[in-house]
Amino acid sequence: MSQLGKIDTMQRALDIVNEHVYFSPEATQGWKSNSELPQAREILATENDTKDPPENPVDTPWASKEAYLEAQYEILRREGVEGLRFSVGLYKDAIKNKKVRVKSYLMSRLGPIARVEFSTKRSTYRIKWQQSRRLRPGTIVAISTKDNNFKTICKIATIAQRPYRDGLDQDPPLVDLMWANTEDAVLDPNLELVMVESRNGYFESARHALVGLQHAAQTYSPLDKYLIGNHVHDTPPAFIEEYPWMDFSSLIHRATENGDTLRESMSTFHVLEGGPPGLQGASTLDDSQLEGVHKIVSNELAIVQGPPGTGKTFTSIEAIKVILSTRRKQGGPPIIVAAQTNHALDQILIHCLNNGANILRVGRRTESPMIRPHTVYETRMRCQEVQDKRYRGLVHSHRANIDAIQDLVSGVFGDNLISPSALLDAGIITQDQFSSLYDESMETDVEKGPFALWLGDSLIPARILRDQHPTQQDLDEAEAKREIEFDGDLDNIAEDEEDLDRIRGQLIELAHMWSGREPSHVSRWQRAAARALADNSDLFCIGPDMRGAVYQLLQAKLLEATTPKLTSLLAQNVYLCKQLKASKWARDTNLIDSEGIEVVGCTTTGLTKFRGFLAALMPRSLLIEEAAETREANITSALFPSLQQLILVGDHQQLAPNCDIRWLGEEPYNLNVSLFQRMVNLKMPFVMLKHQRRMKPELSYILKPFYPELQDHPVVQDAANRPDVPGMGGRNCFFFDHEWPEEMNVDMSKLNDQEAHMIVNFFSYLVANSTDASKITILTFYNGQRKHLLSLLRKHDSLIGLHFNVFTVDSYQGEENDIVLLSLVRSPLPGNPFAVGFLEDQRRAVVAISRARLGFFMFGNVDNVLRANQSSFVLWAKIWNGFSEQQRVQPACQASDICDSFTNNGLGIQCQGFDEGAAIVENVAPTVESVSTMLENSTTNVKNVVDSREDGKEDWLIWF
């Protein structure tokens, strides 16, 4: 590229960055005019004041892009604010007299951050903050004054950080927040506030997507035609039509007789002439994977479905290699790769690194030592780029602004008494009152000033007036586990992220060192103090017993007079921080050229959060891993004008996007339907990978009813690659059927104690028969059962000191292990209706039954899942048949010997119930055909019972 071309590209990148950083919607554009964060009217709205969001059809085309984006925006915003709106509505008629106060401001490069203290006296015991999900960074909170109590005042803020050291470990605890509007900034440390946090919903996950949708409404993308459903056939992107020869030589993995000729022909393969290249015998890719690679590299919108174990990520990596090989010959911008989680992103970036790609990871939350040096921050530090003159000037202006704020605050607060000159300049005292403080016949306290003599014995340390926060007793371990605010299985959030993510800056304290004693004989001393100040031109004429009250009044008036100036300086600081951000993003775009970056990776949340930076790279291709689990708005909002190619890799038959407000995830709003799913619904062509390389054939047999075209790759048919589970006599799967009743824990989550004991004993049996504990994963649909299983495992005599892999199904998509034990939990008490809750979700069930390589063992009440309702019957009948047709069903009534064997803790013992060649069941279990009349003949109430909230906690929190 010529020097002139580079300058033009840099200017365009700067323009794009500025459009995002300084984005300010116009006030007359409806939904496109909404502010980034919720407004008070949204949170204070009653149920009658709110209107239903637009419907979101997912199987028919849209009339226009405008209508489509508006529906996506309104539904997503409703989800983001609904939890807090509901919580504030509950609070207004509930508890009062709260104690939240602003203590200081942290002046960071992100903007002014208010540090607030709050009471937790509503909790019986001290909250274990290291292992609590309260007040997560990004959470929105609503704040009002104690007196107003959300009648008309509702200030919105987001949690900026929750440091543990010198923060949550204090008594009272401290947390940092950023005001949505600097005009709402509270500067009075004595003003008592109340803060409400909702447990339901996490606005940060929607915040940046909402802004991205507003951006998308103002620009054109070649992919718009797919979004509205008017274009449902394969079309190559413009840059491929212009130059359709791509380098497929990287797909040749094996030596062949005509290897050189084949490699040469593949290095200039015409992707628009016919289908994928014929590489049988030369590539480790199977036919469906080759078709998937060809689909990815040659279409504007490419959709590849990867059932469990079929190598979705491997196929994506091979496609990326083709794209990069071609890019190295032709030049062009980097490809953007996004994944749903940090872990998944790191995995695909590691593959890219191992294949020689130069990568850049956006976002710092990586646990991989291989990826950490490739984050934007580390890359910037390594390059030691010299700051340009403009950036240095911005840093200087930012520093000067902070100094001005500190000077202004010091005039109101600080170590000394307030200055009479400041009071005079603000018009708070008259010239006569000012002069009365400087009588030459009186001595003046040089250190504290003239008010020290005037106050006399009424001068007291300000801390005496501050509320004494009640110290709460600590919990012992047993008590802690019974407390709702302690999750014993949650990683130590505070310590893990303390050093890496802590926001730094200058701390400006809002605290008086000195104050005046309040009169004991006057109940409403504020009015009396105001009268005394107004009636006396000589301040020494005010009685000594009222001087402390008058001094407090003068402090309050000086703060009130200074507040507009402080607010203006805070607003100026916010703008300067935006300038610093824009300058930094613009400089970071230069890293792409200087470091030869080929792949830029981020999470699907980062895709929207860093939209300005990513759009400034002017990428042509965007690949989304696990796209069927990614929210539609996260992808739609990231369709930058430069993008010509969108690649969706995932599986719409596995987990769907999460929706925090259940009714918004259902018809007609469909927030839990992904763009991947909607494109499939609209009959957009896609490729399904067809050869699974994970499960032993007897395990994949259980899965195949959901994927009729799925085939076993030869690698899993070889016993050398997929040996039998030790101690199981060649029985590598079974369904243990029981009728042990479920329970509910204090968190309102389901558990099944007897089923858990059975699983733990079976786990112990497997370990005793030489299976490493790390090779076993226990899955369950319920967090209550997960916690219970972990507790039992840690107490089991034969398992002391081992690490256990126990997860909910929702957290295990994309993972696998040699052996998986699945706990279904649900089993009604005698006389109660059959109910399945989460078990009715086919996508969760598909994930649950497809994680094992060698052995899969399921525990549950089959009668319950078959009788609960029609949809549950249809789902679980397929799974039941997968076991029963292989004679792999074990009723509890036949399991006494097996249970005895499982509880034997001796090492190396072969369970007699599973001797080689022995049958697990004496009688063949019936298939679904022989029980298909269950629902019709059952006299039991089969009404589906919907699960209670999984976390079991109330939907709102009030901080005192």
Side-chain angles (χ1 to χ4, degrees):
M1 183 185 296
S2 67
Q3 187 65 27
L4 188 60
K6 286 184 178 180
I7 293 174
D8 181 61
T9 299
M10 291 173 61
Q11 183 58 51
R12 281 194 294 155
L14 179 60
D15 291 342
I16 292 170
V17 165
N18 289 338
E19 288 169 6
H20 284 78
V21 173
Y22 303 112
F23 181 66
S24 180
E26 296 182 13
T28 59
Q29 294 186 323
W31 65 274
K32 290 177 284 188
S33 304
N34 284 343
S35 59
E36 180 176 338
L37 290 168
Q39 296 179 332
R41 57 178 173 76
E42 295 178 81
I43 303 302
L44 295 179
T46 64
E47 194 66 33
N48 293 332
D49 294 332
T50 60
K51 64 178 183 178
D52 292 337
E55 295 184 359
N56 177 29
V58 293
D59 51 11
T60 57
W62 283 85
S64 66
K65 176 183 175 182
E66 170 76 17
Y68 164 74
L69 292 177
E70 180 178 6
Q72 292 291 319
Y73 182 94
E74 294 290 1
I75 296 170
L76 189 62
R77 189 166 182 105
R78 183 65 174 272
E79 187 217 27
V81 304
E82 184 70 2
L84 187 58
R85 185 191 69 81
F86 183 74
S87 301
V88 169
L90 282 179
Y91 164 73
K92 283 191 288 190
D93 298 319
I95 306 169
K96 298 181 175 65
N97 300 322
K98 315 303 172 241
K99 294 179 180 178
V100 177
R101 289 188 171 91
V102 177
K103 304 303 293 180
S104 58
Y105 275 84
L106 181 68
M107 306 307 296
S108 75
R109 292 282 179 91
L110 299 178
I113 296 175
R115 181 157 293 174
V116 302
E117 70 174 19
F118 57 96
S119 167
T120 56
K121 73 178 182 181
R122 184 167 172 264
S123 300
T124 307
Y125 299 99
R126 186 188 303 277
I127 297 168
K128 297 293 184 180
W129 285 108
Q130 301 101 312
Q131 293 167 291
S132 171
R133 299 184 188 277
R134 287 187 177 190
L135 298 174
R136 288 185 298 165
T139 299
I140 54 170
V141 293
I143 296 172
S144 187
T145 63
K146 169 191 170 183
D147 295 335
N148 186 268
N149 196 37
F150 290 106
K151 292 183 179 70
T152 57
I153 297 175
C154 180
K155 301 171 183 285
I156 306 300
T158 60
I159 303 302
Q161 63 175 351
R162 38 164 281 171
Y164 182 70
R165 292 191 300 274
D166 302 322
L168 294 174
D169 65 342
Q170 301 298 295
D171 190 10
L174 302 168
V175 71
D176 293 347
L177 56 83
M178 297 186 76
W179 301 103
N181 190 332
T182 52
E183 293 179 0
D184 286 336
V186 174
L187 300 165
D188 184 356
N190 298 315
L191 180 62
E192 187 173 335
L193 307 167
V194 62
M195 179 168 67
V196 175
E197 172 196 12
S198 174
R199 291 187 185 276
N200 198 0
Y202 185 53
F203 188 77
E204 184 72 8
S205 63
R207 173 181 181 177
H208 304 289
L210 291 169
V211 177
L213 290 170
Q214 292 175 317
H215 279 288
Q218 298 181 357
T219 57
Y220 164 80
S221 166
L223 298 160
D224 289 345
K225 56 183 176 290
Y226 299 98
L227 297 181
I228 62 176
N230 289 336
H231 192 91
V232 290
H233 57 268
D234 288 339
T235 302
F239 71 92
I240 294 293
E241 284 192 307
E242 182 179 341
Y243 192 89
W245 293 275
M246 301 193 73
D247 188 350
F248 275 70
S249 62
S250 61
L251 304 185
I252 300 174
H253 307 120
R254 299 190 182 105
T256 60
E257 290 184 4
N258 62 339
D260 292 341
T261 303
L262 181 62
R263 189 172 297 276
E264 184 178 351
S265 65
M266 287 298 102
S267 65
T268 53
F269 182 79
H270 197 301
V271 294
L272 302 184
E273 291 183 353
L279 291 174
Q280 289 77 8
S283 176
T284 58
L285 293 166
D286 60 53
D287 291 344
S288 64
Q289 289 174 326
L290 282 170
E291 186 181 358
V293 170
H294 185 266
K295 169 75 75 172
I296 287 173
V297 303
S298 62
N299 285 279
E300 275 186 326
L301 176 60
I303 302 175
V304 176
Q305 180 191 8
T310 55
K312 293 190 297 293
T313 301
F314 178 68
T315 302
S316 295
I317 292 297
E318 293 300 309
I320 290 172
K321 286 163 63 177
V322 171
I323 294 172
L324 295 183
S325 295
T326 306
R327 178 188 179 276
R328 287 164 188 160
K329 296 177 181 179
Q330 303 174 9
I335 180 174
I336 308 296
V337 175
Q340 180 71 2
T341 64
N342 283 291
H343 175 69
L345 174 63
D346 286 345
Q347 292 304 303
I348 194 169
L349 289 180
I350 287 171
H351 285 299
C352 290
L353 268 180
N354 290 338
N355 283 280
N358 291 330
I359 69 166
L360 184 72
R361 191 194 195 280
V362 181
R364 296 172 62 186
R365 291 183 181 275
T366 176
E367 297 180 359
S368 169
M370 282 187 66
I371 299 301
R372 192 167 294 118
H374 300 278
T375 62
V376 174
Y377 175 79
E378 293 292 341
T379 303
R380 188 192 306 129
M381 294 298 100
R382 185 172 63 252
C383 294
Q384 297 181 340
E385 182 180 355
V386 178
Q387 296 178 356
D388 57 46
K389 184 178 179 180
R390 171 174 166 72
Y391 188 81
R392 293 196 302 272
L394 289 173
V395 171
H396 176 77
S397 297
H398 186 251
R399 177 71 263 165
N401 169 267
I402 295 173
D403 290 342
I405 293 173
Q406 179 67 77
D407 290 344
L408 204 55
V409 168
S410 297
V412 180
F413 304 101
D415 296 341
N416 298 320
L417 295 173
I418 55 179
S419 165
S421 297
L423 295 174
L424 180 64
D425 292 343
I428 297 170
I429 60 174
T430 65
Q431 182 64 52
D432 288 342
Q433 290 171 327
F434 173 81
S435 299
S436 68
L437 292 170
Y438 289 94
D439 192 321
E440 294 181 359
S441 65
M442 301 180 185
E443 286 191 16
T444 299
D445 189 318
V446 177
E447 183 179 343
K448 294 188 180 70
F451 271 119
L453 179 64
W454 178 74
L455 282 166
D457 292 340
S458 293
L459 177 63
I460 59 172
R463 66 176 182 275
I464 295 177
L465 299 179
R466 295 177 191 144
D467 293 324
Q468 298 300 309
H469 185 80
T471 300
Q472 298 167 313
Q473 67 186 80
D474 283 313
L475 291 166
D476 61 31
E477 183 178 359
E479 290 172 322
K481 290 180 179 177
R482 292 196 297 268
E483 282 297 302
I484 200 169
E485 293 306 330
F486 176 82
D487 187 342
D489 302 317
L490 192 64
D491 289 338
N492 191 321
I493 297 172
E495 290 185 4
D496 285 349
E497 300 177 357
E498 187 80 14
D499 294 326
L500 178 63
D501 294 328
R502 189 155 188 164
I503 302 170
R504 310 291 178 178
Q506 179 178 332
L507 192 66
I508 298 180
E509 299 281 355
L510 303 180
H512 295 290
M513 178 66 71
W514 302 98
S515 188
R517 192 187 309 277
E518 297 170 2
S520 58
H521 64 285
V522 182
S523 58
R524 295 186 176 182
W525 58 264
Q526 291 88 348
R527 291 184 180 179
R531 247 189 339 264
L533 182 63
D535 293 345
N536 292 278
S537 58
D538 184 343
L539 293 181
F540 277 91
C541 291
I542 298 174
D545 59 336
M546 282 300 299
R547 291 179 187 177
V550 171
Y551 184 77
Q552 285 194 42
L553 176 65
L554 293 173
Q555 286 179 314
K557 284 181 172 291
L558 181 58
L559 175 59
E560 182 181 1
T562 309
T563 293
K565 298 177 184 177
L566 276 173
T567 302
S568 176
L569 285 172
L570 290 176
Q572 181 185 349
N573 186 273
V574 169
Y575 184 75
L576 285 167
C577 288
K578 286 184 177 182
Q579 289 182 299
L580 286 167
K581 179 180 179 179
S583 180
K584 183 173 68 174
W585 273 5
R587 288 186 300 117
D588 286 344
T589 61
N590 297 331
L591 295 174
I592 302 301
D593 286 334
S594 65
E595 296 299 296
I597 300 300
E598 300 172 301
V599 176
V600 175
C602 60
T603 63
T604 50
T605 298
L607 198 59
T608 58
K609 184 175 183 178
F610 303 106
R611 190 185 197 276
F613 170 68
L614 296 172
L617 304 182
M618 290 170 276
R620 296 187 304 203
S621 301
L622 168 63
L623 185 149
I624 311 288
E625 272 280 302
E626 295 295 358
E629 195 182 354
T630 301
R631 288 186 168 199
E632 181 167 6
N634 282 50
I635 300 175
T636 300
S637 62
L639 296 184
F640 322 125
S642 64
L643 277 179
Q644 300 181 37
Q645 188 174 47
L646 175 62
I647 303 158
L648 305 178
V649 181
D651 183 8
H652 56 291
Q653 292 179 246
Q654 296 187 61
L655 293 183
N658 179 58
C659 180
D660 292 321
I661 306 297
R662 182 174 296 181
W663 60 271
L664 289 174
E666 300 168 350
E667 289 280 356
Y669 307 114
N670 298 309
L671 192 55
N672 62 356
V673 175
S674 64
L675 180 63
F676 188 112
Q677 175 75 69
R678 193 161 69 82
M679 291 297 101
V680 171
N681 292 349
L682 292 171
K683 310 301 182 187
M684 187 69 197
F686 66 95
V687 170
M688 188 185 94
L689 308 182
K690 297 178 180 178
H691 298 271
Q692 73 86 16
R693 308 177 189 216
R694 175 184 298 165
M695 297 160 273
K696 287 176 70 76
E698 60 195 281
L699 308 189
S700 66
Y701 185 87
I702 302 167
L703 179 67
K704 284 180 181 177
F706 303 96
Y707 301 94
E709 298 181 63
L710 192 63
Q711 303 171 34
D712 294 327
H713 192 274
V715 71
V716 300
Q717 297 174 353
D718 186 346
N721 296 320
R722 295 293 183 271
D724 290 337
V725 176
M728 295 305 296
R731 272 69 176 177
N732 299 301
C733 66
F734 70 63
F735 190 144
F736 182 86
D737 176 29
H738 67 77
E739 294 183 354
W740 299 324
E742 67 191 44
E743 306 170 40
M744 188 176 289
N745 68 6
V746 294
D747 294 341
M748 305 299 289
S749 182
K750 306 290 184 184
L751 62 90
N752 192 310
D753 179 62
Q754 289 176 277
E755 181 178 288
H757 275 89
M758 178 67 181
I759 292 171
V760 169
N761 286 329
F762 182 45
F763 185 103
S764 173
Y765 169 80
L766 293 173
V767 172
N769 279 271
S770 304
T771 297
D772 192 293
S774 66
K775 300 297 184 181
I776 308 171
T777 292
I778 303 178
L779 295 180
T780 178
F781 292 87
Y782 290 90
N783 200 38
Q785 184 77 336
R786 182 188 69 85
K787 293 181 180 182
H788 190 51
L789 283 162
L790 275 169
S791 177
L792 294 177
L793 286 164
R794 289 165 178 164
K795 295 175 182 177
H796 199 285
D797 291 342
S798 69
L799 303 174
I800 300 298
L802 297 180
H803 174 76
F804 307 107
N805 300 309
V806 186
F807 302 96
T808 59
V809 172
D810 284 11
S811 67
Y812 209 64
Q813 175 156 312
E815 304 296 330
E816 60 184 69
N817 209 343
D818 283 354
I819 299 172
V820 171
L821 316 182
L822 177 61
S823 172
L824 298 187
V825 179
R826 301 308 301 269
S827 182
L829 288 164
N832 283 6
F834 295 116
V836 287
F838 294 149
L839 276 66
E840 189 180 352
D841 188 333
Q842 177 171 307
R843 291 169 296 198
R844 282 189 169 106
V846 166
V847 172
I849 66 176
S850 61
R851 302 299 100 193
R853 289 188 290 263
L854 307 181
F856 176 53
F857 306 99
M858 188 157 67
F859 302 78
N861 184 335
V862 70
D863 201 31
N864 180 61
V865 294
L866 292 179
R867 290 178 182 266
N869 57 48
Q870 184 64 38
S871 60
S872 178
F873 173 81
V874 171
L875 166 61
W876 288 97
K878 296 176 183 177
I879 299 172
W880 166 267
N881 282 351
F883 289 97
S884 65
E885 289 168 2
Q886 299 182 83
Q887 301 185 27
R888 295 293 188 266
V889 176
Q890 176 65 58
C893 61
Q894 300 178 11
S896 57
D897 292 338
I898 299 172
C899 290
D900 291 341
S901 299
F902 289 167
T903 56
N904 191 322
N905 296 327
L907 294 175
I909 294 177
Q910 173 74 37
C911 173
Q912 297 304 307
F914 291 98
D915 279 340
E916 294 294 335
I920 292 181
V921 293
E922 297 178 5
N923 300 311
V924 177
T927 64
V928 70
E929 284 76 11
S930 63
V931 297
S932 60
T933 58
M934 276 185 172
L935 289 173
E936 297 176 7
N937 298 334
S938 175
T939 57
T940 307
N941 178 9
V942 297
K943 180 181 179 182
N944 182 40
V945 179
V946 179
D947 285 67
S948 301
R949 275 181 49 81
E950 174 59 15
D951 60 15
K953 302 179 177 69
E954 58 194 336
D955 286 329
W956 51 294
L957 296 172
I958 300 173
W959 300 109
F960 294 72

